[in-house]
Amino acid sequence: MAHPRRRNLHLNRLFPAVSAISAAIFLLFVFISFLAPSPVENDHMRHSRVPQLLRKRAVSDAVEVNGAPQMFRVPDIGGVHDHDLWNTKNGGFYYGCSNATSKFAKAADVIRSNRYLAIATSGGLNQQRTGITDAVVAARILNATLVVPKLDQKSFWKDVSNFSEIFDVDWFISYLGKDVKIIKELPQRRGQKWNPYTMRVPRKCNEHCYVSRLLPVLSKKHAVQLTKFDYRLSNKLELDLQKLRCRVNYHALKFTNPILEMGAEVVRRMRMKSKHYIALHLRFEPDMLAFSGCYYGGGDKERRDLAKIRRRWKTLHNPNPERERRQGRCPLTPEEVGLLLRALGYGRDTHIFVASGEVYGGETTLAPLKALFPNFYSKDILASQEELEAFSGFSSRMAALDFIACDESDVFVTNNNGNMAKILAGRRRYFGHKPTIRPNSKKLYRLFDGRNNMTWEEFSSRVRTFQRGFMGEPKEVRPGRGVFHENPASCICENPDAKTNMASVQKAPGKGSSPIKRDVGVAVEDQNMNDDLEWSDPEDEEDIKSQQGNNETGLEYDSLSSEEPELDELLSD
């Protein structure tokens, strides 16, 4: 009887100990559950763009959510592709052709001695470049002597440089001597400074518009200055005037020697690091994001930051971020640009030159892009402060260095459709169709938002499909579509001998191969016909009618611009 009594005594002592341990474990579980995010919050964070922007991990690592690995895992290598990543497929079949035809008279035969046209440009370096190019053509239409254009020194970019400090003015005058007479300053009148009559023409003003609106004033006043001169010339002109545009933009407008030498040195240092490099024009500055009306997942802080900046422009519409993103109008984030490039085949070892201002979110925002492409450079990294001292106080000169580095790159990538992106796209078409990647944002946004629900293979395959027609190949954009500076179709000629020679060396198509398509560009164009509209500024019937009549569209825009001069200048670089 003693043994059962002893066992009961031990059991009575054991139960309190077990109960205490169980209670401690239960309390620990409750505490951990309280600290952990809810399943709803986990799901929100997984799909939100905030952690995608702010996370500091290497993007190529596998990620685990709730203990299970995600499907989406970014590889370090770009994969094997059936095309050259550093050249366009059919670029060798085309070349830039901007020489005047035999019908284009020499300047000496048509210029009137008592007509002077002065131009005041608008915006930053690249917006001003469009104005300078079109000013030469406007002077030719009016048979007037052109005074070297004045650069905008009061715009958003606040650069006090004049024309001769950015461009080689003597080369500009001499190169165009057969087309237009150009002088550095307006001559004196009756021994005194001549103040020209000031006016403005509508945007997209064609030949008839200039002759009907400006010629009577010029014949009476003899000297006219056109203000805020950017995109004041139609995209559609007769052939010789279009070719004159190209001679100005691609040949006559040459940077000064100090800018060319420093730009060449930046390019040389990039080439020392790698045989090939990508140049990325990354517009992700606070002002750019505020203007776009897009939302990037930064919560209340981002909304407050960008709303404060947006208040500069009182007439801006209330933004609908989701609609802007659906329509492809939101600049890609640095991380999204990196994922795009990896999906197109560029591996972790690819070298990237980044042309950018102050990035919203700073290094935290750039971290995912740098994790994907650690060989990350800019002019500030490649050149010392002493070397950049002569340029750093002038936004246009700094922008010119970026322009050179981007123009000389093997591949140019942009996350926006600003003026620099447009001008470089056109320039790279003219000089051999060097690869120029424009994101098809209207279709890509769904992929970026839903990428955690698909494999990398599916994601990259769909990216490559959506990017057909957005890679800088010939005939991607139909002639006459878009801004002429972006699509100088009148100045690009086909080389039939190159096509014939290429076809002659191809083997007859057999199993596993396919014949060369004679006009690949047309097929691509058809696949992306609707997407092209998102990247262009076509002249519709209303624009054409307005040029022939009152041009109300242009006048309405002018009234808006005069009230808020920074509105259209912000996108100029």
Side-chain angles (χ1 to χ4, degrees):
M1 295 294 296
H3 294 292
R5 189 180 299 116
R6 191 175 300 133
R7 282 197 300 270
N8 290 335
L9 180 62
H10 287 308
L11 290 173
N12 290 337
R13 292 176 180 175
L14 181 62
F15 282 136
V18 172
S19 299
I21 294 172
S22 300
I25 293 174
F26 175 78
L27 290 175
L28 180 62
F29 176 79
V30 171
F31 181 71
I32 293 174
S33 299
F34 177 78
L35 292 180
S38 67
V40 175
E41 184 180 354
N42 250 342
D43 185 69
H44 169 74
M45 292 296 286
R46 197 185 324 159
H47 291 85
S48 170
R49 305 179 75 205
V50 183
Q52 295 167 15
L53 279 174
L54 303 183
R55 66 177 180 248
K56 297 183 179 180
R57 65 171 180 81
V59 184
S60 58
D61 291 341
V63 184
E64 291 191 0
V65 178
N66 294 333
Q70 285 185 324
M71 298 162 58
F72 189 82
R73 178 171 180 169
V74 185
D76 284 344
I77 59 175
V80 179
H81 297 275
D82 58 355
H83 64 279
D84 186 350
L85 294 175
W86 303 104
N87 294 283
T88 54
K89 185 175 181 180
N90 296 314
F93 298 157
Y94 300 86
Y95 63 96
C97 53
S98 59
N99 290 336
T101 69
S102 58
K103 298 179 181 180
F104 197 62
K106 298 292 188 290
D109 298 330
V110 297
I111 298 300
R112 302 293 182 88
S113 60
N114 60 344
R115 295 180 188 173
Y116 296 94
L117 182 65
I119 297 293
T121 60
S122 178
L125 173 68
N126 297 290
Q127 189 168 336
Q128 292 185 99
R129 190 182 186 109
T130 66
I132 295 167
T133 299
D134 292 350
V136 174
V137 180
R140 175 67 193 219
I141 292 172
L142 297 166
N143 293 331
T145 296
L146 178 67
V147 182
V148 169
K150 295 181 180 178
L151 302 188
D152 187 350
Q153 298 177 341
K154 299 179 181 180
S155 72
F156 173 85
W157 304 101
K158 295 180 174 60
D159 190 318
V160 297
S161 302
N162 58 41
F163 188 100
S164 62
E165 291 172 313
I166 304 294
F167 303 105
D168 187 333
V169 65
D170 293 324
W171 172 264
F172 179 73
I173 293 173
S174 63
Y175 189 90
L176 296 170
K178 293 181 180 179
D179 301 311
V180 176
K181 183 180 179 181
I182 304 175
I183 58 177
K184 293 183 179 180
E185 295 180 351
L186 194 64
Q188 290 188 339
R189 191 180 194 188
R190 302 186 185 94
Q192 296 181 344
K193 182 180 179 181
W194 192 352
N195 293 318
Y197 179 81
T198 301
M199 62 181 293
R200 190 181 298 175
V201 293
R203 289 201 165 186
K204 299 180 181 178
C205 197
N206 61 15
E207 297 159 79
H208 173 76
C209 172
Y210 273 91
V211 171
S212 62
R213 286 173 172 265
L214 196 56
L215 193 55
V217 181
L218 193 58
S219 298
K220 181 179 179 179
K221 302 292 185 179
H222 302 297
V224 172
Q225 175 171 287
L226 300 179
T227 61
K228 204 167 181 61
F229 197 82
D230 60 324
Y231 294 105
R232 302 286 160 173
L233 191 62
S234 171
N235 288 323
K236 300 172 184 177
L237 302 172
E238 63 98 5
L239 180 62
D240 266 318
L241 293 179
Q242 297 286 54
K243 288 182 175 294
L244 175 56
R245 258 179 169 164
C246 295
R247 291 198 293 279
V248 180
N249 199 5
Y250 305 136
H251 300 285
L253 272 180
K254 185 172 72 170
F255 292 123
T256 59
N257 284 335
I259 292 175
L260 288 176
E261 291 168 3
M262 189 68 244
E265 183 60 22
V266 170
V267 172
R268 188 186 70 82
R269 292 175 187 179
M270 280 299 298
R271 295 287 182 204
M272 287 177 62
K273 298 181 180 298
S274 178
K275 179 180 179 181
H276 300 293
Y277 76 91
I278 293 174
L280 167 60
H281 185 224
L282 185 62
R283 291 302 308 274
F284 210 72
E285 299 91 344
D287 295 274
M288 180 69 173
L289 301 188
F291 181 85
S292 71
C294 300
Y295 175 64
Y296 289 91
D300 291 339
K301 182 181 184 304
E302 178 187 319
R303 292 189 178 94
R304 287 194 303 269
D305 291 345
L306 302 187
K308 182 178 179 180
I309 299 173
R310 284 181 64 85
R311 285 196 286 270
R312 297 179 188 173
W313 305 294
K314 297 178 182 178
T315 57
L316 279 184
H317 65 281
N318 293 325
N320 183 331
E322 284 301 317
R323 182 181 61 197
E324 297 299 313
R325 186 155 165 80
R326 285 196 308 270
Q327 295 179 350
R329 294 173 181 168
C330 295
L332 269 60
T333 69
E335 180 184 28
E336 288 170 344
V337 174
L339 292 173
L340 168 66
L341 291 176
R342 180 72 92 251
L344 291 174
Y346 298 96
R348 180 180 170 85
D349 58 345
T350 301
H351 286 63
I352 294 184
F353 176 90
V354 178
S356 174
E358 175 193 358
V359 172
Y360 182 71
E363 285 300 314
T364 303
T365 301
L366 288 173
L369 174 60
K370 290 184 175 181
L372 284 163
F373 296 97
N375 297 308
F376 182 99
Y377 301 93
S378 66
K379 59 182 179 296
D380 301 290
I381 295 174
L382 296 168
S384 66
Q385 290 184 355
E386 291 76 17
E387 289 175 309
L388 294 176
E389 186 175 358
F391 310 92
S392 58
F394 307 93
S395 61
S396 290
R397 300 181 206 184
M398 293 289 275
L401 298 180
D402 280 336
F403 187 97
I404 294 170
C406 291
D407 187 37
E408 293 293 327
S409 67
D410 300 281
V411 175
F412 174 63
V413 185
T414 177
N415 72 331
N416 66 92
N417 198 33
N419 289 301
M420 180 169 169
K422 290 177 180 177
I423 291 176
L424 278 171
R427 183 178 178 87
R428 292 170 71 87
R429 291 181 193 279
Y430 183 83
F431 289 108
H433 285 88
K434 293 191 291 183
T436 302
I437 300 174
R438 304 172 304 156
N440 186 356
S441 303
K442 191 173 181 179
K443 290 186 176 179
L444 289 175
Y445 90 93
R446 292 183 183 275
L447 283 182
F448 290 129
D449 287 351
R451 64 182 183 266
N452 288 337
N453 297 318
M454 66 182 74
T455 65
W456 171 255
E457 289 72 21
E458 180 184 358
F459 174 84
S460 59
S461 175
R462 293 177 68 183
V463 165
R464 292 193 294 273
T465 298
F466 291 160
Q467 280 300 120
R468 292 173 186 167
F470 290 77
M471 302 293 289
E473 291 282 353
K475 295 187 178 181
E476 281 183 346
V477 185
R478 288 168 287 172
R481 175 71 68 183
V483 178
F484 181 79
H485 302 286
E486 177 186 18
N487 182 30
S490 301
C491 303
I492 297 175
C493 297
E494 186 174 353
N495 185 348
D497 293 336
K499 279 195 172 185
T500 301
N501 293 337
M502 177 66 73
S504 66
V505 299
Q506 297 296 320
K507 296 180 180 179
K511 186 177 181 180
S513 64
S514 59
I516 291 180
K517 293 182 180 180
R518 187 164 181 79
D519 201 351
V520 176
V522 173
V524 170
E525 170 199 312
D526 291 340
Q527 293 173 3
N528 295 278
M529 186 177 295
N530 294 329
D531 299 320
D532 175 50
L533 298 176
E534 299 300 319
W535 280 93
S536 61
D537 185 22
E539 291 179 343
D540 53 25
E541 293 180 2
E542 182 180 351
D543 290 328
I544 297 173
K545 289 178 181 178
S546 65
Q547 292 166 4
Q548 298 172 346
N550 294 327
N551 211 332
E552 293 296 331
T553 303
L555 294 176
E556 289 175 2
Y557 188 93
D558 289 344
S559 64
L560 173 62
S561 299
S562 62
E563 292 174 1
E564 298 179 319
E566 292 182 2
L567 184 63
D568 58 321
E569 293 160 3
L570 181 62
L571 301 178
S572 65
D573 277 340

